Amino acid sequence: MRGLHADTGYLLYRLGLRSGQLFNAFLQESGLRLRHYAVLRFLATTEGSLQRELSARLGYDPSAIVGLVDDLEKLGFAERRPAPDDRRSRIVVLTENGRAFLRDTDEAGRRVTNELLGPLDPAGREALHALLLRIAEDGLS
Amino acid sequence: MRGLHADTGYLLYRLGLRSGQLFNAFLQESGLRLRHYAVLRFLATTEGSLQRELSARLGYDPSAIVGLVDDLEKLGFAERRPAPDDRRSRIVVLTENGRAFLRDTDEAGRRVTNELLGPLDPAGREALHALLLRIAEDGLS
DNA sequence: GAGCAATAATTGGTGACGTCAATAGTTGTT
DNA sequence: AACAACTATTGACGTCACCAATTATTGCTC
């Protein structure tokens, strides 16, 4: 009989949970949650994105994007702009406040990752990241 | 500005989600979910365990354990027995049916893991598992 | 150019899940 | 004998993933 942690998939599941919890705890003081942060980080790479695009790239349901962008707009971190070529679409862009927030929290985010990856040396972290990326590319954005 | 997948913690979070979804899909036909499966697998390693112990080792809230063991009892995969030395405690043990279920689904579980780790060669999987184990030992059971 | 399928954002509902507070029964301690 | 600590349990609340339906708009097609 295989042990509890003999399965890589199960390990991933459990560690993913813990990772999400750590991130959410760190974001709590900002009034945001992990999902908001993911949207912000994605917006920072795109110079404006359709909500449909956010949904596809982040893997969140379109209906989830609505509320997330709502919250970010309320905080002044992002805003919806009409798409010039398609009036169905909204283009979500990062505001200057949003950019500042990302700058301010960047270091704290790193601390969280450090805590999570505690027992790993730099080489181990590098290796882990590379392996996860290879899995993620197969299905995730 | 760091990219979306530049952060190992976030990657872990997203892949953990996907892993959980895959496992749940595979378990759906059995009427169980991932959490039940985790309990069964843990029970298979212990020859009887207090609910309190299940909670601590699996990281689920004590109140969650109640429902999980209820379900497993209904399916005949586990049963509660009174603890001889402490009448507050119940000892949860795997039944023969539960053991058979684990045997039957073991191979299907491996298939799920294979799907998840698709792009990785055996050496990569081995390395990933070792790295995850080292992280897991620091906090998880 | 009128009708129609497809699409973007949105709303609403359902079930799983993590978390916390409270309770009943039991144990150990003082 | 009284009281703090502990086990299992119940209940409530908010978040989240998932799915169906709706509105406004676009592009296709006949």
Side-chain angles (χ1 to χ4, degrees):
Chain A
M1 191 65 63
R2 298 188 292 160
L4 224 204
H5 287 157
D7 193 284
T8 311
Y10 183 70
L11 263 179
L12 259 183
Y13 165 70
R14 293 303 305 279
L15 291 174
L17 273 187
R18 201 165 75 187
S19 178
Q21 287 165 5
L22 279 177
F23 261 100
N24 275 324
F26 131 68
L27 284 172
Q28 198 164 14
E29 58 200 43
S30 330
L32 293 181
R33 274 154 304 156
L34 182 50
R35 302 158 72 86
H36 300 99
Y37 195 63
V39 171
L40 285 180
R41 287 270 295 273
F42 180 75
L43 287 179
T45 71
T46 59
E47 201 69 35
S49 164
L50 303 180
Q51 295 186 199
R52 152 114 191 57
E53 215 174 337
L54 287 172
S55 166
R57 299 293 297 275
L58 296 174
Y60 299 143
D61 193 90
S63 59
I65 301 291
V66 176
L68 292 176
V69 177
D70 282 352
D71 296 340
L72 293 177
E73 256 188 338
K74 239 169 257 156
L75 288 167
F77 290 167
E79 56 182 42
R80 277 180 247 241
R81 292 182 190 163
D85 54 329
D86 188 338
R87 281 185 304 176
R88 291 172 300 181
S89 303
R90 314 288 165 77
I91 296 180
V92 186
V93 297
L94 203 57
T95 64
E96 192 43 51
N97 276 350
R99 232 170 265 281
F101 174 79
L102 280 180
R103 269 194 303 272
D104 293 347
T105 51
D106 190 67
E107 194 265 340
R110 275 187 230 271
R111 258 207 315 276
V112 169
T113 299
N114 273 343
E115 184 176 346
L116 183 72
L117 302 183
L120 257 51
D121 55 33
R125 296 177 191 207
E126 183 80 26
L128 176 62
H129 191 81
L131 287 167
L132 292 179
L133 257 188
R134 274 167 63 196
I135 303 178
E137 274 161 8
D138 177 57
L140 254 56
S141 68
Chain B
M1 191 67 62
R2 299 188 293 160
L4 222 208
H5 287 157
D7 192 283
T8 310
Y10 183 71
L11 263 178
L12 259 183
Y13 165 71
R14 294 305 306 279
L15 290 174
L17 272 187
R18 200 164 75 185
S19 179
Q21 288 165 6
L22 280 177
F23 261 100
N24 274 324
F26 132 69
L27 284 172
Q28 198 164 16
E29 59 201 41
S30 330
L32 293 181
R33 276 155 302 152
L34 183 49
R35 302 159 72 86
H36 300 97
Y37 196 62
V39 172
L40 285 180
R41 287 271 294 272
F42 180 76
L43 288 179
T45 71
T46 59
E47 199 69 34
S49 165
L50 303 181
Q51 293 186 201
R52 150 117 192 57
E53 216 174 337
L54 286 172
S55 166
R57 299 293 297 274
L58 296 174
Y60 300 142
D61 193 88
S63 59
I65 301 291
V66 175
L68 293 176
V69 177
D70 282 351
D71 296 341
L72 293 177
E73 258 190 334
K74 240 169 254 153
L75 288 167
F77 290 166
E79 56 182 41
R80 276 180 248 243
R81 293 180 188 164
D85 55 329
D86 188 338
R87 280 187 304 179
R88 291 173 299 183
S89 304
R90 314 289 165 77
I91 297 181
V92 186
V93 298
L94 203 59
T95 64
E96 191 44 51
N97 276 350
R99 231 170 265 282
F101 174 80
L102 281 180
R103 269 194 303 271
D104 294 346
T105 52
D106 190 68
E107 194 266 340
R110 275 186 231 272
R111 258 206 315 275
V112 170
T113 300
N114 272 343
E115 185 177 344
L116 183 71
L117 303 183
L120 257 50
D121 55 32
R125 296 176 190 207
E126 184 79 25
L128 176 63
H129 191 80
L131 288 167
L132 292 179
L133 257 188
R134 275 167 62 195
I135 303 176
E137 273 161 11
D138 178 58
L140 256 57
S141 70

